[in-house]
Amino acid sequence: MRLKALLASASSLRFSTRTRKIDMTAELRVGPIARALMHHFETCRLAAYRCPANVPTIGWGNTYYLDGRPVRMGDRITQQQADDLFAAILERDFGAPVRAELSVAGAAETSPAQFGAMVALAYNIGMGPRAWRNGLQKGFRQSEVLRLHRAGNYVGAGGVGGDRPTSGAFGGWVRARGKVSNGLVRRRNAEAALYRSDFAALERFTNGEVKG
């Protein structure tokens, strides 16, 4: 009986530990630093424009509305509508899906800064399909950032800091219309810096606008 009780207690502890880890991931939210990073690179435009990928875009880099309608050239919105659209789409279409991808069994733990950086990346490159096949556009679900992070390879995912910081796997997403974009290189460096909680580098890559 004593052995059974000990085994039951150990099993309960293992389950409790797993539950706490899942709960911690479920509680992750995009913080003000990650939002400031996205706002820095997107800026806010109340009239539709074409982004570097030639897609009609409005507000804080949104290419569609909450009801799924695509942004069209000629569209206009107010500042409040832009802010509300950004917040709603950020959580529904990026925050929640990224949390789900980080909650899979065996995934490494995620800090709030890492979560914010990965959501910022996903917001820019898209989540990508749940089941990818040839002909479909890849996104965060297919990224090396996600794969390496899940495996606990934080350096591979986010690079290293110091005098010559690197962007790790974030640096794999720097092309627009087939060409390397200097703006995307800087953006990926900023996201990788946030991922590492390297706030000095983050400030440098955002021209002093985003501070930790």
Side-chain angles (χ1 to χ4, degrees):
M1 290 295 291
R2 181 177 176 80
L3 178 59
K4 287 183 178 180
L6 287 172
L7 290 173
S9 176
S11 177
S12 175
L13 178 61
R14 287 195 300 271
F15 177 78
S16 174
T17 301
R18 290 195 300 269
T19 302
R20 283 198 299 272
K21 180 179 178 181
I22 292 171
D23 286 345
M24 287 175 64
T25 303
E27 291 170 2
L28 289 170
R29 293 293 183 273
V30 180
I33 298 176
R35 287 172 182 262
L37 185 158
M38 286 182 272
H39 283 176
H40 170 78
F41 284 102
E42 297 292 349
T43 69
C44 185
R45 302 189 192 181
L46 304 182
Y49 65 97
R50 292 190 181 276
C51 71
N54 203 36
V55 179
T57 306
I58 204 166
W60 294 105
N62 296 112
T63 58
Y64 58 90
Y65 298 103
L66 275 172
D67 61 5
R69 288 180 298 115
V71 172
R72 298 183 184 280
M73 297 305 295
D75 288 358
R76 296 189 66 87
I77 58 176
T78 67
Q79 185 65 57
Q80 188 62 56
Q81 288 172 327
D83 294 343
D84 291 345
L85 181 64
F86 171 76
I89 286 181
L90 181 66
E91 171 55 26
R92 185 192 71 180
D93 295 351
F94 300 97
V98 169
R99 276 195 300 275
E101 295 298 329
L102 298 174
S103 298
V104 300
E109 293 186 0
T110 304
S111 72
Q114 290 171 333
F115 176 71
M118 287 187 283
V119 172
L121 175 66
Y123 186 79
N124 186 231
I125 68 173
M127 283 301 301
R130 289 183 176 84
W132 183 82
R133 63 180 185 276
N134 286 335
L136 296 181
Q137 184 173 344
K138 293 182 179 181
F140 179 74
R141 289 187 177 98
Q142 290 74 43
S143 71
E144 284 292 286
V145 173
L146 176 60
R147 185 185 71 81
L148 292 170
H149 177 84
R150 279 176 172 171
N153 186 348
Y154 299 139
V155 172
V160 297
D163 294 334
R164 301 181 66 181
T166 62
S167 59
F170 281 83
W173 299 86
V174 295
R175 293 181 178 274
R177 302 172 74 176
K179 297 181 179 180
V180 173
S181 162
N182 291 334
L184 289 179
V185 169
R186 187 166 66 88
R187 184 170 186 156
R188 298 291 93 88
N189 273 297
E191 291 162 351
L194 176 59
Y195 179 92
R196 301 189 304 270
S197 294
D198 183 353
F199 299 115
L202 174 61
E203 185 173 346
R204 185 162 69 254
F205 286 120
T206 57
N207 301 325
E209 291 186 11
V210 181
K211 304 178 188 298

